[in-house]
């Protein structure tokens, strides 16, 4: 029978599955809203639905330049969340590090001083807002002892969060003969993980318009530098993430903005100038919000279906939306859709409340399938001795 969800009174059909759902490559979809860019690499994803709105050579390996600093920040945020790094923890600027990352040839700088003690929090502002190469290396040394040891943490964490086609050789993305490379797809994954895993730290550090640190020579005046993010103050809801530029990489940007519950993440790379990066990034994000619409599917906490549980204290578990779920459609598309619940079943106990154990697959005539997670409504412990006997009896009776 059809289920009715949220405010919509249109029937949405659900099917459970014991194996992953497969879609044929021959499926025909309406044309996506057109967008043209001079960027050789571009990618955009709508986090509210999981829909990829645009992909242009998104899996091509490329040097990230300062966009690599997003990985440094992710590692630091993770340590802060675990209590292994404090925002007010002082870190000393080693004279040899200052010497290497001081002056015009060292690129973007926070204007640190040798032997200066700087808190981890201020170094993070220096990395995120000022793109300080010096701040990146000082923070990495303060955390892991050496930049090389910190880079090992970066690569370990990158693999864990799904950066399958990236490798880091430095903490700040400085050209290193090709040892450091990423893809636009992986940069979006990193941005999404940062926003999802550390929402409070993301709001605290990303999206700041400017930051003041260091003194001018001679007059000793404070040095205030502006964030290079081309969307801040231009696109409503823009709040991060990171620009990058080297002669090898060109001008790139990984950005995000949220409007009316829709959060988009975009990546552009290989642009010829700062002006082109600004113009193309603004046009890209505007297209994402204006040419597409969001259609609510399931409200947060609503039980969509139940799944069978194997070896658990309960034989079933509810599948609920961990957040408000939506589908992204071209602005002119029909709102008609079908939805399927997909999971590998029966699901083995133990199951933690909030654990991702199924997916909601939304099918429309205008877009490829859009997949969003469903989580366990409650904790299901492993069954005790008698529970396992009861489950065996039920299985045998079902076979008769």
């Amino acid at each position: 029978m059809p289920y009715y969800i949220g405010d919509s009174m249109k029937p949405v059909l659900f099917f459970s599955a014991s194996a992953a759902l497969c879609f044929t490559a021959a499926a025909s979809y309406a044309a996506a809203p057109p967008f043209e860019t001079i960027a050789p690499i571009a990618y955009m994803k709508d986090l509210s639905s999981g829909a990829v709105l645009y992909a242009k050579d998104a899996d091509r390996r490329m040097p990230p330049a300062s966009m690599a600093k997003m990985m440094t920040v992710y590692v630091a945020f993770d340590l802060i969340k675990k209590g292994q790094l404090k925002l007010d923890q002082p870190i000393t600027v080693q004279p040899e590090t200052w010497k290497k990352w001081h002056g015009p040839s060292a690129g973007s700088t926070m204007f640190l001083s040798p032997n200066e003690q700087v808190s981890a929090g201020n170094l993070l502002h220096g990395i995120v807002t000022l793109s300080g190469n010096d701040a990146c290396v000082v923070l990495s040394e303060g955390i892991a002892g050496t930049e090389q040891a910190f880079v090992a943490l970066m690569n370990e964490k990158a693999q864990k969060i799904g950066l399958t086609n990236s490798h880091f050789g430095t903490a700040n993305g400085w050209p290193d003969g090709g040892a450091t490379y990423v893809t636009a797809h992986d940069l979006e994954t990193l941005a999404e993980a940062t926003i999802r895993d550390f929402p409070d730290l993301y709001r605290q550090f990303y999206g700041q318009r400017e930051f003041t640190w260091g003194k001018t020579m001679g007059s000793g005046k404070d040095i205030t530098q502006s964030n290079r993010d081309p969307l801040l103050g231009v696109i409503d809801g823009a709040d991060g993430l990171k620009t990058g530029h080297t002669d090898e990489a060109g001008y790139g940007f990984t950005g995000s903005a949220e409007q009316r519950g829709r959060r988009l993440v975009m990546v552009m790379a290989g642009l010829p100038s700062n002006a082109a990066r600004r113009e193309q990034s603004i046009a890209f994000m505007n297209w994402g919000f204006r040419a597409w619409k969001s259609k609510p599917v399931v409200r947060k906490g609503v039980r969509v279906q139940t799944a069978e549980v194997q070896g658990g204290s309960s034989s079933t578990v509810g599948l609920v939306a961990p957040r408000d779920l939506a589908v992204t459609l071209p602005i002119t598309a029909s709102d008609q859709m079908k939805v399927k619940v997909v999971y590998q079943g029966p699901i083995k106990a133990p199951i933690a409340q909030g654990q991702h154990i199924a997916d909601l697959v939304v099918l429309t005539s205008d877009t490829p399938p859009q997949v969003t997670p469903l989580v366990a409504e409650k904790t299901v412990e492993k069954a005790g001795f008698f529970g396992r006997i009861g489950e065996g009896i039920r299985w045998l009776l079902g076979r008769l």
Side-chain angles (χ1 to χ4, degrees):
M1 74 181 267
Y3 290 76
Y4 297 91
I5 295 180
D7 295 329
S8 174
M9 293 304 294
K10 295 178 181 177
V12 185
L13 302 180
F14 292 90
F15 305 87
S16 62
S18 60
L21 194 65
C22 296
F23 298 93
T24 64
S28 177
Y29 307 108
F35 180 76
E36 296 293 334
T37 178
I38 62 171
I41 297 173
Y43 189 71
M44 179 178 286
K45 185 175 179 180
D46 188 332
L47 303 194
S48 67
S49 64
V52 174
L53 307 186
Y54 191 90
K56 181 180 180 181
D57 219 357
D59 290 313
R60 186 210 301 184
R61 288 183 177 181
M62 62 180 183
S66 286
M67 291 186 288
K69 292 168 183 167
M70 292 163 53
M71 192 70 240
T72 294
V73 173
Y74 186 95
V75 172
F77 281 2
D78 186 56
L79 294 172
I80 292 166
K81 184 177 180 179
K82 292 176 178 176
Q84 298 173 11
L85 178 67
K86 303 294 185 183
L87 286 174
D88 60 357
Q89 179 175 322
I91 296 175
T92 302
V93 180
Q94 301 300 324
E96 59 271 22
T97 303
W98 173 85
K99 184 177 181 180
K100 180 177 180 180
W101 297 105
H102 172 71
S105 63
S108 302
T109 178
M110 185 180 171
F111 292 105
L112 296 170
S113 300
N115 295 312
E116 180 182 16
Q117 285 203 328
V118 189
S119 70
N122 282 327
L123 288 170
L124 282 168
H125 282 301
I127 296 168
V128 173
T129 305
L130 310 182
S131 197
N133 290 319
D134 51 355
C136 242
V137 178
V138 170
L139 181 65
S140 70
E141 291 175 342
I143 289 173
T146 66
E147 183 182 8
Q148 292 72 28
F150 184 84
V151 167
L153 296 178
M154 294 172 67
N155 285 311
E156 179 183 354
K157 187 61 65 175
Q159 289 299 308
K160 287 183 178 179
I161 63 175
L163 274 61
T164 58
N165 201 11
S166 296
H167 182 268
F168 299 93
T170 68
N172 56 19
W174 195 256
D176 56 6
T180 298
Y181 57 85
V182 297
T183 66
H185 192 166
D186 279 1
L187 286 175
E188 185 284 324
T189 299
L190 174 56
E192 184 176 351
T194 301
I195 295 165
R196 178 193 67 230
D197 297 343
F198 316 108
D200 294 336
L201 289 168
Y202 178 77
R203 284 190 294 269
Q204 182 176 351
F205 287 96
Y206 282 98
Q208 301 298 313
R209 299 287 187 89
E210 61 184 23
F211 186 65
T212 299
W213 195 268
K215 304 284 185 180
T216 60
M217 296 182 64
S219 64
K221 292 183 178 179
D222 290 339
I223 300 174
T224 299
Q225 299 183 71
S226 298
N227 195 324
R228 297 176 179 86
D229 185 328
L231 303 184
L232 291 180
V234 179
I235 299 292
D236 289 344
D239 55 10
L241 296 156
K242 192 72 194 70
T243 58
H245 168 250
T246 62
D247 290 343
E248 176 188 24
Y251 289 81
F253 176 55
T254 301
S256 184
E258 185 173 23
Q259 296 180 11
R260 297 178 294 279
R262 285 184 67 205
R263 178 173 287 281
L264 305 183
V265 173
M266 58 150 287
V267 180
M268 280 188 160
L271 287 158
S273 67
N274 182 43
R277 175 172 63 189
R278 176 180 173 82
E279 174 188 302
Q280 295 291 301
S281 296
I282 293 170
F284 197 25
M285 191 62 82
N286 274 329
W287 172 82
F289 282 118
R290 295 174 183 174
W292 299 84
K293 63 182 178 181
S294 180
K295 176 68 177 176
V297 178
V298 185
R299 288 181 175 177
K300 179 179 179 180
V302 168
R303 180 192 286 187
V304 174
Q305 201 179 58
T306 57
E308 295 180 2
V309 176
Q310 180 180 355
S313 56
S314 174
S315 60
T316 62
V317 64
L319 304 174
V320 301
R323 52 180 171 80
D324 289 345
L325 302 182
V327 62
T328 305
L329 302 168
I331 197 71
T332 58
S334 165
D335 288 347
Q336 293 292 333
M337 67 185 81
K338 290 184 179 181
V339 182
K340 294 186 179 183
V341 174
V342 182
Y343 62 92
Q344 298 281 351
I347 302 167
K348 293 183 179 180
I351 301 168
Q353 183 180 27
Q355 181 179 336
H356 176 199
I357 56 174
D359 288 311
L360 192 69
V361 182
V362 183
L363 306 167
T364 79
S365 60
D366 298 283
T367 63
Q370 298 181 37
V371 182
T372 54
L374 296 174
V375 300
E377 185 175 25
K378 63 179 181 180
T379 295
V380 180
E381 304 290 352
K382 277 190 174 182
F385 175 74
F386 292 106
R388 292 195 299 273
I389 291 177
E391 182 178 32
I393 293 172
R394 289 191 295 273
W395 182 83
L396 286 172
L397 290 175
R399 301 278 290 182
L400 295 177

